[in-house]
Amino acid sequence: GGSRGITWPPKRLKLPASVRFRFPIDARRFTESGGVPVVRIRDLESQSPSTLTDETGPDWARVDDGDVLVGMDGEFRATVWRGQPSWLNQRVCAIDPRPGFDARYLAYAVQPPLDAVQAVKFSTTVKHLSADDVLNLPIAASSEADQRSIADFLDVETARIDAMIRARSRQVSLFAERAATVRDTACSSIVPRERLGYGLLAIEQGWSPACETRLPEPHEWGVLKAGATNYGAFHESESKALPADLRPRMQLEVRVGDVLMSRANTRELAGSAAYVEECRPRLMISDKLYRVVPNRAKLEPRYLALVLQSAAAREQIQSEAVGSSGSMQNISQQVVRDLRLPIPPLEQQARIVAQCERVTTHARQAVATIRRQVGLLHERRQALFTAAVTGQFQVPSAGVASKAA
């Protein structure tokens, strides 16, 4: 039997809670120190805002420990804030339970209907949660004592699942570290180093017209974004549709075998390079990307992509990139040409590539398995929320208070 404190059909969220949202913080007043934190969607999981502002907001826009927050873009997630006092970003809302509703329970209870809203939202880019969506979320109602019992139970169970997810995520990081170690060890054993320009035919830069905010359809032309080479892998989904009234520049189309490099990105990602293993047709490089064209008599393309991701290259790139700290960093073509990197004979390059690809293939297979496991854990977590807050199984202690009353 279910928890006897639960009733169904559920009440509406607009009855047991009020919602605070839409504080338009001026991005020009973001600071790196000396301000009040701003809670952005990316901070909901870490509970540690990295953005500060010297702007003073109204009292209703203040976020305090224990507030229930919901991200309104991308993946709709509810959480109880446990970070320092902060300001609400306009794409994060706060839900304030009215008397008779426990905040922790509310955060758990709104997640199943949030998932349902997300499932029916259509978007070619990022999904958005509207104010009406939030105000009309249906939640199961129960006595406040039962709510606390359910929240206590879910706190323990989700903490256990989250610990398993973190452990699996750490395994993914270890595989990535192992592949990087093999690559860096192989590259660092080669002396002397040579100027990279010695092995290049050209460095080509792309074009960044004003594009649609959506992905290109298969029959459309698209332009790659700066993130298309993040972390040494090619991501064709990091692209935007070219407007139909603009003529594509055929010479900028991405081809299998290209080596692409991000010329403008954050400090961590500027200079990220990737070999294009496969790519859909009708994608062009943007002006945030370089196509680094090797002289194949001296440099094998796969090796070029690999050595550009090595610790030796990253150290030089980060020291030469220009741009204010914490913002976009830029790398000139001359910086790329002047990199001092190991360029061994082609036969040795091929051996290094083969060695790294064996490790990478094994890591990729293991990571795919781990991610499937993590996906199942997330499904288990969400199913637990739904079952507990809708009375599909008896939560320990829930219903006892209602029966006593």
Side-chain angles (χ1 to χ4, degrees):
S3 173
R4 283 162 293 189
I6 302 269
T7 60
W8 198 260
K11 290 183 180 179
R12 289 281 178 179
L13 178 58
K14 60 184 177 184
L15 297 178
S18 57
V19 179
R20 295 180 278 131
F21 58 96
R22 287 184 180 167
F23 174 40
I25 298 175
D26 187 349
R28 293 172 297 182
R29 298 184 65 173
F30 286 168
T31 66
E32 295 178 15
S33 61
V36 178
V38 178
V39 179
R40 307 177 81 171
I41 290 175
R42 66 190 183 206
D43 304 319
L44 295 182
E45 183 174 355
S46 69
Q47 302 267 325
S48 180
S50 57
T51 302
L52 305 174
T53 182
D54 61 9
E55 188 173 0
T56 300
D59 288 343
W60 65 262
R62 180 186 172 95
V63 177
D64 290 304
D65 181 78
D67 283 352
V68 179
L69 305 182
V70 176
M72 301 176 74
D73 282 343
E75 189 176 13
F76 309 149
R77 280 286 168 265
T79 189
V80 177
W81 183 249
R82 295 303 183 195
Q84 59 186 308
S86 307
W87 296 122
L88 272 177
N89 176 268
Q90 61 182 344
R91 297 310 303 162
V92 177
C93 70
I95 301 175
D96 300 320
R98 293 177 184 166
F101 275 82
D102 180 83
R104 289 179 306 141
Y105 171 81
L106 198 61
Y108 287 123
V110 298
Q111 193 57 62
L114 279 174
D115 292 339
V117 171
Q118 181 144 19
V120 299
K121 282 276 183 180
F122 175 77
S123 174
T124 57
T125 53
V126 177
K127 293 186 177 183
H128 302 286
L129 191 67
S130 71
D132 284 343
D133 292 330
V134 177
L135 290 168
N136 288 292
L137 291 173
I139 69 166
S142 64
S143 72
E144 194 167 7
D146 282 359
Q147 292 173 34
R148 286 193 293 270
S149 295
I150 292 169
D152 289 343
F153 169 77
L154 289 175
D155 282 349
V156 172
E157 294 301 315
T158 57
R160 183 179 297 123
I161 293 172
D162 289 345
M164 289 189 284
I165 291 173
R166 285 193 299 272
R168 299 293 191 279
S169 298
R170 177 56 183 158
Q171 287 179 309
V172 170
S173 298
L174 290 173
F175 278 113
E177 290 169 12
R178 166 64 177 159
T181 298
V182 170
R183 177 198 64 214
D184 291 343
T185 301
C187 292
S188 64
S189 65
I190 302 167
V191 290
R193 296 180 180 181
E194 300 183 53
R195 182 174 174 272
L196 182 60
Y198 161 80
L200 300 182
L201 292 178
I203 298 178
E204 302 170 359
Q205 188 172 333
W207 171 50
S208 289
C211 289
E212 307 281 355
T213 58
R214 58 178 177 82
L215 287 167
E217 297 294 335
H219 66 280
E220 294 180 309
W221 280 85
V223 179
L224 290 173
K225 297 189 289 186
T229 60
N230 282 358
Y231 303 106
F234 176 64
H235 310 281
E236 66 174 34
S237 60
E238 286 289 312
S239 57
K240 295 181 179 180
L242 184 73
D245 60 344
L246 291 181
R247 179 175 296 178
R249 299 183 181 181
M250 307 291 191
Q251 72 275 19
L252 299 178
E253 185 176 12
V254 179
R255 301 179 293 267
V256 170
D258 279 349
V259 177
L260 304 182
M261 184 181 194
S262 173
R263 74 157 188 89
N265 212 317
T266 62
R267 178 176 173 80
E268 179 189 9
L269 296 172
S272 291
Y275 177 82
V276 180
E277 294 274 1
E278 57 182 357
C279 182
R280 53 153 283 175
R282 293 177 291 280
L283 275 185
M284 295 177 288
I285 57 174
S286 70
D287 72 356
K288 295 292 192 293
L289 295 171
Y290 290 143
R291 174 159 42 208
V292 185
V293 185
N295 179 346
R296 296 194 180 211
K298 298 175 181 177
L299 260 178
E300 201 278 326
R302 293 175 191 269
Y303 177 79
L304 172 60
L306 186 149
V307 77
L308 284 172
Q309 284 297 107
S310 68
R314 297 298 308 155
E315 182 179 346
Q316 295 175 69
I317 288 169
Q318 291 184 355
S319 68
E320 296 295 332
V322 296
S324 59
S325 176
S327 67
M328 294 288 280
Q329 302 281 298
N330 292 277
I331 304 163
S332 70
Q333 293 189 23
Q334 195 60 48
V335 165
V336 178
R337 289 191 177 92
D338 288 342
L339 292 173
R340 304 291 297 186
L341 298 174
I343 305 179
L346 290 173
E347 296 79 5
Q348 189 174 358
Q349 292 180 34
R351 287 196 297 271
I352 291 172
V353 169
Q355 177 188 9
C356 291
E357 286 189 345
R358 283 194 297 272
V359 175
T360 301
T361 298
H362 172 71
R364 190 180 296 118
Q365 293 169 345
V367 167
T369 299
I370 292 169
R371 284 181 173 154
R372 283 194 295 270
Q373 294 171 346
V374 169
L376 292 173
L377 287 169
H378 279 294
E379 289 177 12
R380 163 65 178 159
R381 194 177 191 272
Q382 298 312 114
L384 198 61
F385 290 176
T386 302
V389 301
T390 59
Q392 294 178 29
F393 65 78
Q394 179 72 49
V395 172
S397 300
V400 174
S402 297
K403 184 176 181 182

